[in-house]
Amino acid sequence: MKYSRLFILIIVMFLGTAVKAQEAGTPPIWPKLGKNDTIRVAATNDNGYMIPWIGLQEVVIYGQRIWKSAADQAAYNRLKYNVLKVMPYALFAKRRYEQLERDLATVADKKEQKRLVKECDAEIKRMFNTEIKELTITQGQILTKLIDREVGRTTFDIVKQTKGGFAAFSYQLIARVVGHNLKSTYDASVDRDIESIIVSSGYYQN
């Protein structure tokens, strides 16, 4: 009885190997080409049949927005202007802090890490002193949201990480006096108009 089971197991294993060998040796079936089929494309083997395909770029279609009133359209246009005004600053902050994190990950010396943080902080301050200080309160509020969108952390968290908790608390107090909130977060479902403006702005097109 034991020998019969072993014999059956050997037969099953042999048949499985033979089937796999047969499948491996079977040439794939390609579609017939016409006289105008001259473009080389990729192909995928689907159960022995080669299916040609071409990768296409994403196409985003936007509907025509209908405004309830001229005032609503004017408000949207102001929002669009403000978003496009501060978006480059948010992208700059994203690139600069990503670079800082990469630099810190390769340096173990605490003194050198502090130097890198100060260097990054100085660049952000230079941008603030030359350009960002001219922003309106509304533009500043949008900027704090966009920094959270791009960096994945609020402005308060970034200051806390680089400058410490006391500095973050102090900056937040000053920001609140002039109508800002460094803890502002971004929610694409809530800030739908801002998200729509960013997506259609062309900043993320290759």
Side-chain angles (χ1 to χ4, degrees):
M1 188 68 176
K2 293 182 178 179
Y3 291 106
S4 63
R5 290 180 179 176
L6 179 61
F7 180 72
I8 293 173
L9 178 61
I10 292 174
I11 291 177
V12 172
M13 293 176 61
F14 175 77
L15 290 176
T17 304
V19 170
K20 288 183 178 179
Q22 183 177 5
E23 291 178 350
T26 303
I29 301 175
W30 291 87
K32 293 182 179 180
L33 300 179
K35 63 178 181 178
N36 296 322
D37 293 329
T38 59
I39 301 176
R40 291 181 176 272
V41 299
T44 299
N45 191 327
D46 183 12
N47 294 323
Y49 291 89
M50 300 304 295
I51 310 298
W53 56 271
I54 298 176
L56 300 177
Q57 292 184 347
E58 180 184 9
V59 177
V60 181
I61 300 176
Y62 300 98
Q64 183 69 31
R65 185 163 183 172
I66 300 176
W67 304 100
K68 293 181 179 179
S69 65
D72 288 344
Q73 185 173 5
Y76 179 84
N77 290 337
R78 286 195 301 271
L79 177 64
K80 182 176 182 179
Y81 172 82
N82 290 331
V83 170
L84 297 182
K85 173 76 174 180
V86 302
M87 189 63 184
Y89 304 136
L91 293 176
F92 173 83
K94 175 185 180 180
R95 291 191 296 267
R96 191 58 187 88
Y97 283 113
E98 285 178 347
Q99 180 63 49
L100 175 62
E101 290 179 348
R102 288 193 295 268
D103 293 341
L104 292 177
T106 60
V107 175
D109 182 63
K110 297 295 183 181
K111 186 176 181 179
E112 179 63 15
Q113 288 182 348
K114 289 183 178 180
R115 187 193 68 79
L116 291 172
V117 171
K118 287 184 178 180
E119 185 179 276
C120 177
D121 189 50
E123 287 189 30
I124 299 295
K125 281 184 177 179
R126 281 197 297 271
M127 183 178 67
F128 179 85
N129 291 330
T130 57
E131 299 185 49
I132 295 182
K133 69 177 182 179
E134 303 296 334
L135 298 180
T136 65
I137 292 178
T138 300
Q139 291 168 351
Q141 292 170 342
I142 294 174
L143 177 59
T144 55
K145 283 178 172 285
L146 294 187
I147 287 177
D148 179 62
R149 181 186 188 276
E150 297 301 321
V151 182
R153 290 173 295 167
T154 65
T155 306
F156 181 88
D157 291 334
I158 294 173
V159 175
K160 184 177 180 179
Q161 179 188 12
T162 57
K163 303 290 290 181
F166 180 77
F169 177 74
S170 301
Y171 287 7
Q172 173 69 344
L173 287 179
I174 298 173
R176 296 298 287 174
V177 170
V178 295
H180 298 292
N181 182 7
L182 302 184
K183 296 182 180 181
S184 295
T185 57
Y186 186 84
D187 187 338
S189 62
V190 175
D191 301 302
R192 293 189 299 271
D193 285 342
I194 295 179
E195 185 68 18
S196 174
I197 292 168
I198 293 173
V199 171
S200 61
S201 65
Y203 278 111
Y204 298 99
Q205 292 181 359
N206 294 330

